[in-house]
Each structure stands twice: as structure tokens, then as C-alpha cells.
Amino acid sequence: MADTYTHGHADAVLASHRRRTAENSAGYLLPHLRPGLDLLDVGCGPGTITVDLAARVAPGRVVGLDVSADPLEEARALAGRAGVAVGFAVGDVYALDADDGSFDVVHAHQVLQHLTDPVAALREMARVCRPGGLVAVRDVDYAAVTWYPADPGLDDWLELYHRVARRNGAEPDAGRRLLAWAHAAGLRDVTASTGSWCWAAPAEREWWGTSWAARASASSFAEQAVAYGLADRERLEAVAAAWLRWAAADDGWLGMLHGELLIRV
Ligand SMILES: C[S@@+](CC[C@H](N)C(=O)[O-])C[C@H]1O[C@@H](n2cnc3c(N)ncnc32)[C@H](O)[C@@H]1O
């Protein structure tokens, strides 16, 4: 049975993913990129990171795959505007439509946390990576998301998010587990690091807070929370209100810790 993607592709979700760049989301990989490398970006979503990476490896071949067609049209439009060549297509990380050893770099940002079998996904990513090439993965660790000021509504958001994601068979505290997953996949040449995001400037607070308020009100996450009997509309609206309070707080601050791996194949 196919995995259930907790976030879905509502505009509030894509609005959040669109802010991602190679610099703010794949800094650990950038020193290893050079022109001419062939790169596969798995679970590429709206493709902002993919397009940035493509500019760095041109004229290498770049492919962005996502299990859902929903975000790919805007990814193609973005690549067109940026003037970089990227082939975007529907594809599944568990069964990549690529020969063994056909890419120098196989990248996935915030994807493994959504899968029921991240170890199988890593094995498949390594299969299509050339000997000597790199598999690069980065995932948040939700239990390590922290904020100010304290708000019971945000505590409730975190608890609810954990419960919905785990009900989907996914692992929201993925960052700390990446190394163990790589080892379980038989991958031993692994460099682990951490990265972080910090949202505190007024424009960032406004964007993140209103985006999560909208996601708590109407998105796959909200629908799943209700369908699984984990929350009613009232509880979700209280979570949305908490995000808006945080966005409006002059001292509002939020930090997210990410695990990162560079795996030499
Ligand atoms: C959190 S989004 C990350 C998107 C993009 N990498 C970024 O960071 O902006 C996760 C993406 O993984 C995709 N995804 C989920 N399961 C997948 C699978 N089995 N194979 C490929 N993509 C998958 C989802 O459709 C979604 O677009």
C-alpha cells in the first residue's frame, strides 16, 4: 500500500516549501558539487532546491522526481524562468526508474521522515548512485523544534503532528535516526551533521505562522487529524490561533534542528 504523505500539497504547504533554497536547505552538500555532475533530487516538491542545485552542476543531467504530480508543473515553470535544464517527472523513491549507478549525486530533502520504510528508500537511492558518488539526505527532528514564547496551543500542535505522522507509519523525529537508517541499509561511509532553521524576523514569523495556521485549518494534516479521530475542528482552530499569536509576538522565535547525511557510495 502507498505511504500517506502527512502534509499533502495544499497551497499553504507549497508556500512553505517554496522558501527553500540550496543555501538554506542543502548547505552541507554544496561544497561537493561541481559543474558536470549528474544529480537526482527525489521528492523534489515545487523544485526550488532542485533548480538551485541544477545551476551549480550544469551542464550535468538533473532530474527531479516526486511521487505526486501536483507540485511538478510549478517546478517546471520555475526551471524555465531560471533558464536551467531539469527533467521533472513522477517517480517513487522505493522504485526509481533509473539504471544502477546512473547519478553522481542522489539527494532528498525532508522526504525520509514521511516514509514507512526509509531504509528501503536509502537502499534504492544508493543503487542509482555511481560508485564514489554521494547520497545526501536531510530531515527535521520535530521533537527538537523549539520556540518562544511558550504557548499551550503550540505544545498541542507538536503533539498532534507527532500523532498524525505516526498514524501514517512515518517518523517525525527523523533527524536523529538518519544515521541508524543508513547503517541498516548497509551504508557505512557516512558523514553526519546537523543544520538548522531559525524564524524570528517579522516577515519570517508572519510567513511561517500564517502558513501553519492555514495548514491547521485546512490541509491534508488537518483532514487526517479529524479522520483519524485525533482532533476535532475546535482543537485545530485553537492550534491555528496559537500560530497566529506566535506570528504576532514581537519576541517570537522558532528553531528547527535537522539531521543531515553525506553517504559515499
Ligand atoms: C516535505 S516535501 C519536500 C519537498 C522538497 N524536497 C523540499 O524540500 O522543498 C516531501 C515531498 O516528498 C514527496 N514524496 C513522498 N513520498 C514519496 C515517495 N515515495 N517517492 C517520491 N517522493 C515522495 C511528497 O510528495 C513531497 O512533495
Side-chain angles (χ1 to χ4, degrees):
M1 207 168 71
D3 292 352
T4 303
Y5 175 44
T6 302
H7 295 305
H9 295 94
D11 197 59
V13 175
L14 292 181
S16 160
H17 297 169
R18 279 180 206 121
R19 301 281 289 233
R20 298 177 183 169
T21 65
E23 285 76 16
N24 70 25
S25 300
Y28 70 107
L29 171 63
L30 298 186
H32 303 273
L33 299 182
R34 56 186 158 73
L37 293 181
D38 295 335
L39 183 146
L40 174 64
D41 191 20
V42 183
C44 62
T48 54
I49 302 172
T50 327
V51 166
D52 276 357
L53 296 176
R56 289 164 188 266
V57 300
R61 182 171 63 103
V62 177
V63 176
L65 295 182
D66 202 284
V67 76
S68 166
D70 294 350
L72 295 183
E73 199 177 317
E74 75 171 76
R76 287 186 192 103
L78 177 69
R81 287 197 301 279
V84 293
V86 184
F88 285 104
V90 171
D92 187 348
V93 68
Y94 293 124
L96 295 168
D97 185 14
D99 292 337
D100 293 0
S102 48
F103 290 92
D104 300 296
V105 178
V106 184
H107 171 258
H109 185 252
Q110 310 298 345
V111 178
L112 296 186
Q113 67 188 278
H114 295 295
L115 305 177
T116 54
D117 194 346
V119 174
L122 279 168
R123 253 189 234 115
E124 179 66 352
M125 291 173 73
R127 179 187 70 76
V128 303
C129 188
R130 289 191 180 114
L134 282 174
V135 171
V137 291
R138 185 177 196 254
D139 274 274
V140 71
D141 196 292
Y142 270 90
V145 176
T146 188
W147 56 80
Y148 186 88
D151 189 316
L154 295 187
D155 295 341
D156 201 35
W157 162 75
L158 190 56
E159 189 199 325
L160 201 51
Y161 184 79
H162 273 100
R163 293 182 73 187
V164 171
R166 293 223 166 100
R167 173 69 169 65
N168 286 333
E171 179 46 70
D173 302 342
R176 71 189 66 189
R177 290 173 166 84
L178 293 180
L179 183 61
W181 290 343
H183 287 166
L187 304 166
R188 301 304 308 187
D189 188 348
V190 186
T191 304
S193 58
T194 57
S196 67
W197 286 335
C198 175
W199 311 130
E204 289 167 343
R205 276 206 317 274
E206 166 75 12
W207 151 69
W208 183 263
T210 54
S211 154
W212 256 109
R215 289 160 80 169
S217 296
S219 72
S220 297
F221 162 73
E223 284 160 22
Q224 290 164 18
V226 172
Y228 298 159
L230 298 173
D232 56 19
R233 288 280 159 204
E234 200 181 333
R235 185 170 170 192
L236 288 168
E237 287 312 323
V239 167
W243 276 117
L244 295 179
R245 272 194 302 278
W246 174 82
D250 207 29
D251 301 325
W253 180 98
L254 183 129
M256 298 183 87
L257 183 75
H258 304 272
E260 304 162 338
L261 296 184
L262 284 175
I263 304 167
R264 185 69 66 182
V265 173

